[in-house]
Amino acid sequence: AECAKVSHALHHYGLVILRDPRVSEADNSTFINMMERYFSVSDGLRDARPEYGYQVGVTKDFVELPRNHCKSMGAYGPDNKPLSPCPPELDPKWRFFWRTGPLPEKTEFPSANMDAVIPAEFPEWKDVMDGWGGQMTNALFTLAEMAAVGFNMPPDSFTSRMKYGPHLLAPTGSDFNKHGDEGRVLAGFHYDLNFLTIHGKSRFPGLYVWTRQGARTAVTVPDGCLIVQAGKQIEYLTGGHVLAGFHEVVVNKATRKVIEAKKEKGESLWRVSSTCFGHIASDQVLEPLPPFNSADAKERFPAVKAGTQVMEELKAIALHK
């Protein structure tokens, strides 16, 4: 019954809110505290690796450019229109990428598997990143198995392909000292290029998602829960039965309330997302799996290696030249 709920939510909404008893709220807090400190002191240059398409280390503000989805955006009714500008503008959010989980022994895509960047000022960095990254990927593997069962697929349909994937712990940082005005778009309208994305609860609201029916919805995550969003790779593997969910992050009235409350208490005004991108392994082939492998689905989703698909998507968002 729980598996059916997962598959139903992924199909209709492109997201699932879950509680995983193995994941502690305290660990989410430790992680967010460290990232708030890091983003507030980083120069955005020393720890950046543009030569790897920023897929490891830090990405400073105004580097990530959302793909142009003006056509999709134009199709929504007035109540469901994104606030994101069209054509897209560079995002004011920062990001840090940390690879989590075992590396493949041999791969056609070595640039997806680079050395980690460790900021010297944070002796606890590796333990905190590996700890939170491990908890996030464990939760994702369990959810992926539940989704497969809910879709009447063999339980390991997704997890066997996720093994040795280039999973990334990828917290974002938005500085409300600079970008705290109501209506400010922190992450422009986009979908995720990976398989499934998981986040712990952020300290500031502002995430909006679009359902399969095109309804724009503000997401509220209950305390102690995690949110999982569908990415492009699960759209591929299900032949479009699950769609990569569009979303944006915007400063709204609720965000402003939290900003004012934190200002009064002298707390950090960085909005950190404890995001982790779960990937299909680079050398695996993306194609619709049974029962989603109709002739029509195969035509719409021609077979491609996951590593190739990721590279194409990165080129489209200006991170990889």
Side-chain angles (χ1 to χ4, degrees):
E2 293 300 305
C3 296
K5 283 185 199 168
V6 168
S7 55
H8 177 271
L10 284 172
H11 172 64
H12 286 282
Y13 309 115
L15 72 85
V16 180
I17 290 180
L18 70 141
R19 191 184 294 279
D20 185 333
R22 300 168 300 181
V23 178
S24 81
E25 188 59 37
D27 287 338
N28 190 28
S29 276
T30 301
F31 173 77
I32 289 180
N33 289 344
M34 185 179 80
M35 292 312 304
E36 284 176 351
R37 281 174 28 236
Y38 174 76
F39 285 128
S40 67
V41 300
S42 173
D43 66 358
L45 299 171
R46 182 197 68 184
D47 299 336
R49 300 290 181 272
E51 65 274 23
Y52 288 134
Y54 294 97
Q55 290 303 285
V56 65
V58 78
T59 309
K60 68 192 300 296
D61 49 353
F62 302 110
V63 172
E64 285 191 23
L65 180 72
R67 275 189 94 146
N68 187 323
H69 294 297
C70 293
K71 196 172 164 196
S72 304
M73 289 162 80
Y76 295 120
D79 295 341
N80 296 307
K81 283 246 186 295
L83 289 183
S84 301
C86 180
E89 295 172 4
L90 294 166
D91 282 342
K93 71 177 189 300
W94 291 57
R95 189 185 298 280
F96 196 99
F97 277 133
W98 178 267
R99 178 61 202 272
T100 179
L103 296 166
E105 280 178 24
K106 58 180 201 298
T107 174
E108 259 181 67
F109 303 94
S111 76
N113 304 291
M114 308 131 302
D115 290 336
V117 174
I118 301 179
E121 308 84 341
F122 293 82
E124 74 276 32
W125 189 271
K126 188 176 186 308
D127 289 344
V128 172
M129 298 302 260
D130 285 345
W132 185 248
Q135 290 191 41
M136 291 287 92
T137 46
N138 284 344
L140 270 186
F141 270 77
T142 303
L143 188 89
E145 202 163 278
M146 290 175 75
V149 171
F151 290 136
N152 296 314
M153 302 164 79
D156 70 346
S157 297
F158 299 132
T159 52
S160 61
R161 290 170 170 82
M162 291 166 72
K163 198 175 177 190
Y164 300 115
H167 312 304
L168 286 165
L169 187 56
T172 62
S174 302
D175 184 0
F176 287 143
N177 296 293
K178 291 182 185 169
H179 308 299
D181 300 341
E182 192 177 335
R184 177 65 160 159
V185 176
L186 304 171
F189 183 77
H190 69 287
Y191 62 74
D192 291 348
L193 61 86
N194 52 301
F195 175 62
L196 291 171
T197 302
I198 186 165
H199 319 259
K201 186 180 170 88
S202 169
R203 290 175 178 170
F204 297 85
L207 174 65
Y208 289 86
V209 301
W210 277 260
T211 66
R212 192 180 191 93
Q213 285 71 37
R216 181 180 191 258
T217 312
V219 177
T220 48
V221 181
D223 286 345
C225 289
L226 305 166
I227 175 172
V228 173
Q229 291 174 275
K232 203 65 182 175
Q233 293 176 341
I234 195 172
E235 183 174 318
Y236 237 91
L237 294 173
T238 63
H241 183 74
V242 175
L243 296 177
F246 278 111
H247 48 284
E248 67 182 359
V249 180
V250 181
V251 178
N252 60 21
K253 283 189 168 54
T255 325
R256 285 292 324 156
K257 265 192 180 154
V258 179
I259 291 172
E260 292 309 322
K262 284 189 171 285
K263 244 186 201 161
E264 277 184 26
K265 290 185 198 156
E267 292 175 13
S268 173
L269 293 186
W270 278 86
R271 180 192 191 275
V272 171
S273 70
S274 52
T275 305
C276 184
F277 293 127
H279 275 262
I280 299 300
S282 308
D283 298 271
Q284 291 278 351
V285 173
L286 295 175
E287 59 188 339
L289 301 174
F292 303 112
N293 58 341
S294 65
D296 172 55
K298 283 172 150 169
E299 197 176 318
R300 286 192 300 129
F301 296 95
V304 61
K305 284 204 169 173
T308 305
Q309 173 257 346
V310 167
M311 279 300 174
E312 293 304 315
E313 293 275 359
L314 289 177
K315 281 177 188 159
I317 56 174
L319 288 184
H320 215 290
K321 298 294 181 267

